[in-house]
Amino acid sequence: MFNYSVRVFPIKSPKSKLVGFASLLIEEVLQVDGFKIFDGTNGIFVKAPSHEGKNKDGERTWYDDVKFITTDGKPVGLKDKETTAALTRDEIFKSIVDTYVSNNTGDNAAADDSPTASRSDAARAQSQDNDKSKSRRPLW
């Protein structure tokens, strides 16, 4: 498939079901930030990045920033489990959950040693990480 790595930024004292954020680095050239990690009634789950906006009627709604699509260009539904896109989505989400769980149980202390008190701290840590890495260069 492709090589990727995950960085997780737990919220130190969550005040809601949102317990952290994650970034996905694909092939060391494409970084996708904004995955949200939630602790729901059925356990830890992940949502892809999204943003709030207004629809054509002026009502507030959420729009997906990242979509997993099938070969015919249609978005993969949550119940879809057989397509390559669905398998990829499930693998990425599972990797994020596993990294989050291991970071919070002490099994993987080296996975993320940055401060994690808030989203701004997570963003600052990611920015510092990018500054340290000389291997990432703009594509243009």
Side-chain angles (χ1 to χ4, degrees), residues 66-77:
V66 173
K67 296 178 185 172
F68 295 90
I69 58 170
T70 60
T71 54
D72 59 0
K74 295 182 181 175
V76 173

Side-chain angles (χ1 to χ4, degrees), residues 6-12 21 23 103-104 108-130 132:
V6 170
R7 284 196 40 121
V8 170
F9 305 96
I11 297 173
K12 194 171 193 173
F21 296 92
S23 295
N103 282 355
N104 288 325
N108 191 2
D112 184 17
D113 57 0
S114 61
T116 57
S118 69
R119 185 174 184 176
S120 62
D121 288 341
R124 189 171 18 269
Q126 185 66 37
S127 177
Q128 290 170 352
D129 185 52
N130 287 344
K132 290 177 190 174

